[in-house]
Amino acid sequence: MQLQDFLEHVKRRSPIESGSEQHLFMYAVAQEAMRIGAELNSGYRTPEEVRALLSQLTGTMLAESTTVFPPFYCEFGKNLRLGKGVFINMGCRFQDTGGIIIGDGTLIGHGSTLTTLNHGVDPDLRADMLPAPVVLGRKVWLGAAVTVVPGVTIGDGAIVGAGAVVTKDVPANAVVAGVPAKVIRMTGFDASPN
């Protein structure tokens, strides 16, 4: 199996059945992601070294304006896209197998978790995985320790309060908080491209 075949499979939200060709491919790519992650998190790295390792992890060149403070954990890497001017603080965990897209200018607080895989509900199929992407728009701000579950899109300019669990799409320019996250108010700002 080739990477593009796997990415097309998860883009269709097709199940990754336990023991299948897709499952074995995912596992092999995860081993490489863990190797790169161990190197990234094993000591001080300059911003240039961090970007180089993340570029290796994702298979794409990161913009010079993108900043990640290690430690940073990512179990797949090849389905993660980081925009320009993105800032990711320490201790974040990204499960990007199902796809994570982070828009330009987005800020992600300490210890946040973005997940893109669910497991089957049927106990006999529990080891199967169901991919669904997470999309963060432009200029989104996730506070510390936010969790975003599979299939959620957070609109441009939205703010997610610390500790929130985001289980549903968030409108552009909304402020959400809580477990599960609910809209508290609108920001009144326009985060659309200039």
Side-chain angles (χ1 to χ4, degrees):
M1 168 162 277
Q2 300 295 315
L3 177 61
Q4 195 55 44
D5 298 326
F6 180 84
L7 295 177
E8 288 298 323
H9 182 86
V10 297
K11 186 176 182 181
R12 290 190 303 269
R13 296 189 181 197
S14 299
I16 302 169
E17 296 176 4
S18 179
S20 67
E21 180 182 17
Q22 292 83 11
H23 185 255
L24 297 174
F25 180 84
M26 179 187 74
Y27 183 81
V29 173
Q31 298 309 301
E32 176 69 4
M34 287 188 285
R35 184 196 63 75
I36 295 167
E39 186 176 348
L40 174 66
N41 298 326
S42 65
Y44 174 74
R45 302 282 179 250
T46 66
E48 295 77 22
E49 291 170 326
V50 170
R51 273 192 303 281
L53 285 165
L54 289 173
S55 293
Q56 190 179 39
L57 176 72
T58 63
T60 60
M61 291 300 297
L62 265 63
E64 195 172 314
S65 60
T66 295
T67 302
V68 176
F69 282 0
F72 175 76
Y73 305 96
C74 184
E75 54 56 269
F76 190 76
K78 301 299 189 231
N79 210 1
L80 171 61
R81 298 295 168 257
L82 303 175
K84 296 176 183 171
V86 167
F87 176 76
I88 301 171
N89 219 323
M90 292 189 273
C92 290
R93 296 167 302 276
F94 288 10
Q95 182 195 51
D96 70 298
T97 302
I100 295 174
I101 299 171
I102 299 176
D104 295 346
T106 288
L107 310 175
I108 300 178
H110 292 84
S112 290
T113 301
L114 307 181
T115 64
T116 65
L117 295 175
N118 273 320
H119 287 279
V121 175
D122 181 339
D124 293 333
L125 302 175
R126 189 67 42 87
D128 293 354
M129 288 159 274
L130 308 169
V134 165
V135 178
L136 307 184
R138 298 176 76 256
K139 299 181 182 176
V140 169
W141 174 21
L142 301 186
V146 166
T147 298
V148 181
V149 302
V152 167
T153 295
I154 299 177
D156 293 348
I159 299 170
V160 180
V165 177
V166 186
T167 61
K168 296 179 183 173
D169 289 353
V170 175
N173 303 309
V175 178
V176 301
V179 179
K182 292 183 173 32
V183 175
I184 296 170
R185 65 182 173 89
M186 301 304 285
T187 65
F189 295 106
D190 183 6
S192 60
N194 296 332

